[in-house]
């Protein structure tokens, strides 16, 4: 859409999402547990909207027993840790810092919900198609995120997860509560998200599509 609005010829535009190596992620059998474990994996920068995730978590914890595990590092880490310390639920917000892919996978398998409140940064920076969301879906997690950039392509709203407007952490809190209180819905949305990744965002298929486009251009 952005390219069309900026006069790129339509015949030169090919939509090929980054995708995720779905077979590298297991679909684990999960069981109901308390507290519900919410996981967020991202670089700690403005466009990832972690402050809104924390605010939404604080509101949700007034109704449900939950833990928020944050994986990642970045320039906003100190500010976000300070925000978490002001929370009545500070002991339930855990900053892990950076982790390697195998450690992240294990955390995804242990989690119940994946949250990422992506926003448009003040300098205009936006997401593309966030790989962390695709990986969480491949691991069978329901997603709570925002109507932002390519995220509505990855997450089918009300089907494989929930999407809210940017910066609306009240709505995000409501979605956390809904999922935290309904294990069957967690499992159903997670399984649907996994199937969506298999059918539409498997990186093996995306690579083939990219090769096809490149070879067609090369052979002209």
């Amino acid at each position: 859409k952005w390219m069309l609005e900026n006069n790129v010829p339509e015949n030169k535009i090919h939509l090929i999402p980054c995708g995720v190596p779905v077979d590298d992620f297991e679909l684990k059998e999960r069981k109901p547990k308390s507290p519900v474990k919410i996981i967020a994996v991202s670089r700690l920068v403005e466009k990832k909207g972690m402050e809104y995730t924390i605010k939404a978590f604080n509101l949700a914890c007034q109704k449900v027993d939950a833990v928020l595990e944050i994986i990642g590092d970045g320039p906003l880490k100190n500010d976000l840790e300070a925000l978490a310390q002001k929370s009545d639920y500070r002991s339930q917000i855990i900053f892990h810092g950076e982790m390697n892919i195998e450690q992240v996978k294990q955390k995804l398998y242990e989690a119940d919900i994946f949250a990422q409140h992506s926003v448009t940064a003040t300098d205009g920076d936006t997401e593309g198609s966030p790989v962390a969301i695709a990986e969480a879906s491949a691991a069978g997690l329901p997603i709570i995120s925002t109507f932002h950039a390519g995220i509505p392509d990855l997450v089918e709203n009300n089907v494989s997860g929930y999407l809210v407007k940017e910066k609306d952490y009240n709505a995000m809190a409501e979605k956390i509560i809904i999922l935290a209180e309904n294990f069957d819905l967690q499992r159903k949305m997670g399984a649907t998200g996994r199937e969506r990744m298999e059918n539409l965002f498997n990186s093996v298929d995306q690579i083939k599509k990219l090769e096809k486009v490149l070879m067609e251009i090369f052979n002209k």
Side-chain angles (χ1 to χ4, degrees):
K1 181 180 176 182
W2 180 90
M3 286 189 282
L4 288 171
E5 290 172 349
N6 286 272
N7 302 314
V8 176
E10 186 172 356
N11 67 338
K12 292 192 175 185
I13 298 172
H14 304 271
L15 180 58
I16 305 174
C18 183
V20 62
V22 179
D23 292 341
D24 288 355
F25 292 83
E26 299 177 44
L27 186 58
K28 297 282 189 179
E29 180 65 29
R30 292 179 170 87
K31 297 180 180 180
K33 63 175 179 287
S34 184
V36 171
K37 188 173 288 187
I38 302 166
I39 188 170
V41 183
S42 75
R43 182 159 166 73
L44 304 183
V45 295
E46 185 183 358
K47 71 178 177 181
K48 298 297 184 179
M50 192 64 72
E51 66 175 290
Y52 302 105
T53 299
I54 292 172
K55 290 177 179 179
F57 175 79
N58 288 338
L59 290 175
C61 281
Q62 296 175 15
K63 298 288 184 67
V64 296
D65 186 15
V67 170
L68 174 62
E69 296 197 30
I70 298 170
I71 298 174
D73 204 347
L76 295 183
K77 182 179 181 181
N78 291 339
D79 292 342
L80 293 168
E81 287 181 334
L83 177 63
Q85 282 302 309
K86 295 176 183 177
S87 168
D88 292 337
Y89 308 96
R90 64 181 71 87
S91 64
Q92 294 157 241
I93 304 173
I94 304 164
F95 287 84
H96 288 292
E98 289 185 358
M99 288 184 166
N100 64 42
I101 184 60
E102 293 305 320
Q103 292 171 316
V104 171
K105 282 183 186 178
Q106 189 56 45
K107 286 295 183 182
L108 290 173
Y109 299 149
E110 295 170 358
D112 303 296
I113 300 167
F114 184 91
Q116 181 170 314
H117 196 109
S118 296
V119 299
T120 302
T122 51
D123 64 359
D125 191 16
T126 63
E127 299 277 13
S129 183
V131 174
I133 290 178
E135 291 177 341
S137 285
L141 286 176
I143 310 297
I144 303 177
S145 191
T146 53
F147 290 104
H148 172 88
I151 294 174
D153 293 330
L154 290 171
V155 182
E156 188 174 0
N157 189 32
N158 298 317
V159 179
S160 62
Y162 289 119
L163 300 178
V164 302
K165 293 180 180 179
E166 292 184 29
K167 302 182 180 181
D168 189 351
Y169 58 87
N170 288 283
M172 189 179 200
E174 291 172 3
K175 302 307 182 185
I176 291 173
I177 293 167
I178 290 170
L179 274 177
E181 292 182 335
N182 192 330
F183 174 73
D184 288 339
L185 184 60
Q186 290 175 34
R187 186 166 53 183
K188 182 179 179 180
M189 283 188 162
T192 303
R194 165 75 182 206
E195 185 177 356
R196 187 172 181 82
M197 293 305 106
E198 290 174 344
N199 295 336
L200 299 176
F201 294 94
N202 193 325
S203 58
V204 174
D205 298 330
Q206 307 298 33
I207 290 169
K208 290 178 181 177
K209 292 178 185 177
L210 181 58
E211 288 176 342
K212 184 174 183 292
V213 170
L214 292 174
M215 291 306 297
E216 287 174 353
I217 294 169
F218 179 77
N219 290 322
K220 282 184 178 178

